[in-house]
Amino acid sequence: VSKQPDTDFAKMLDSAELPDIDPGEKAFQKAHELLALGKLDEAREKLVSIVNIYPTSPSAPVARRIVGDMNLDEILSTSHKEGKQTHIVKKGNSFLGIAAEYKTNIDCIMHFNGMLELKGIQPGDEIIVMPLNFKILIEPHRKALSLWDGARFVREYNIIHIGLPAALAPQHTTINSKAAEFNGKRVQLPAKDYRAAAKIIQFGKPPLLIRGYDGPAEDAPSGIVLNAADMEEINLITRIGNEVEIRNPPH
């Protein structure tokens, strides 16, 4: 019986026609299998590895989006207790005071306690709170805004319009104020128009805005503009004092 010469196999291995297997794609396929099996934690770990180790892989943008969805579902879940605390209301407590004590915001308190509007609180009431210490990273060259929990990636959002100087220097700042506008007027809780109002986040220095907008691109307002739903989400889990980094690559 004739035997296939080993040299033939060597030629096959040396062939330039061998497919270039992207390791990020292989990791993504494995993550897909884990998700199908319901192994969410293992799948997320695999997807995070793509985001961190293979950021240029064709699978990386999808991995970032899935990881972001999984992270946010966990953060906003009322049943997932990690990172959340229970405050027992004391005499003299107010929503503003509780928000300040736990470094959170009133929108977030309302979300975790199933409130559609602000209501009176009494001593002994239990209020679920979640400290908000996320950092905002803005990358104008990528038209991307992302949230980070320390060194951990949380979620990324597309910037639909950006009115910033092209040569804006990389810098660190903080959220200086938050506001909401309805029909051209500023509104705040507990005003009934607050829920439908466009949310605005302003930095200290430089004096820039992040805002939501769903109208025609040519009429987009100045500043860093996201779609309105994304802006609502960011407004919910950020507070005055959060760190902001603007990162532009060197020219």
Side-chain angles (χ1 to χ4, degrees):
V1 179
S2 63
K3 186 179 178 182
Q4 180 77 19
D6 290 343
T7 51
D8 285 0
F9 295 121
K11 288 177 182 176
M12 291 170 64
L13 288 172
D14 291 338
S15 170
E17 300 301 316
L18 282 174
D20 183 15
I21 301 173
D22 174 51
E25 181 62 27
K26 287 182 68 177
F28 187 82
Q29 290 171 1
K30 182 61 178 177
H32 189 277
E33 293 170 11
L34 291 167
L35 283 172
L37 293 171
K39 298 180 178 180
L40 300 186
D41 289 342
E42 292 178 49
R44 174 157 53 183
E45 186 177 334
K46 188 65 68 175
L47 290 165
V48 168
S49 75
I50 299 170
V51 172
N52 294 334
I53 302 171
Y54 310 115
T56 60
S57 167
S59 301
V62 180
R64 288 174 78 88
R65 188 166 66 248
I66 296 173
V67 169
D69 287 346
M70 295 173 79
N71 287 343
L72 204 75
D73 284 350
E74 192 172 90
I75 288 166
L76 297 181
S77 169
T78 54
S79 60
H80 185 82
K81 302 302 183 185
E82 186 179 344
K84 303 172 182 74
Q85 302 174 45
T86 300
H87 173 79
I88 308 299
V89 176
K90 305 175 184 68
K91 185 178 179 180
N93 275 172
S94 66
F95 283 111
L96 276 175
I98 294 170
E101 179 180 347
Y102 289 93
K103 294 186 176 181
T104 186
N105 67 46
I106 294 178
D107 293 273
C108 193
I109 291 175
M110 291 176 70
H111 168 78
F112 284 119
N113 294 278
M115 300 176 186
L116 296 178
E117 58 185 34
L118 284 178
K119 59 183 181 181
I121 49 176
Q122 303 295 327
D125 287 350
E126 294 188 354
I127 303 291
I128 299 170
V129 293
M130 183 178 75
L132 301 173
N133 297 311
F134 300 113
K135 168 187 168 182
I136 294 177
L137 172 63
I138 298 165
E139 298 173 274
H141 62 289
R142 291 182 56 231
K143 285 200 163 184
L145 181 152
S146 52
L147 292 178
W148 294 77
D149 182 5
R152 184 175 76 93
F153 168 78
V154 176
R155 187 167 174 79
E156 184 170 282
Y157 303 89
N158 292 327
I159 297 173
I160 60 175
H161 173 77
I162 189 160
L164 294 176
L168 185 68
Q171 55 198 287
H172 289 79
T173 182
T174 57
I175 294 177
N176 184 56
S177 65
K178 297 177 71 178
E181 286 185 355
F182 186 78
N183 289 337
K185 295 181 180 178
R186 292 287 174 107
V187 295
Q188 59 185 10
L189 286 169
K192 63 182 178 64
D193 293 327
Y194 178 82
R195 288 287 164 220
K199 308 306 188 292
I200 300 169
I201 291 174
Q202 182 160 359
F203 311 148
K205 294 180 181 180
L208 298 170
L209 299 175
I210 307 174
R211 63 201 314 162
Y213 175 73
D214 283 336
E218 61 271 17
D219 297 330
S222 61
I224 298 160
V225 184
L226 313 173
N227 72 52
D230 287 348
M231 188 64 206
E232 283 287 337
E233 207 168 85
I234 293 169
N235 180 69
L236 177 61
I237 55 176
T238 59
R239 61 171 173 82
I240 293 172
N242 279 153
E243 182 184 352
V244 180
E245 179 184 354
I246 299 172
R247 185 183 295 170
N248 252 337
H251 290 279

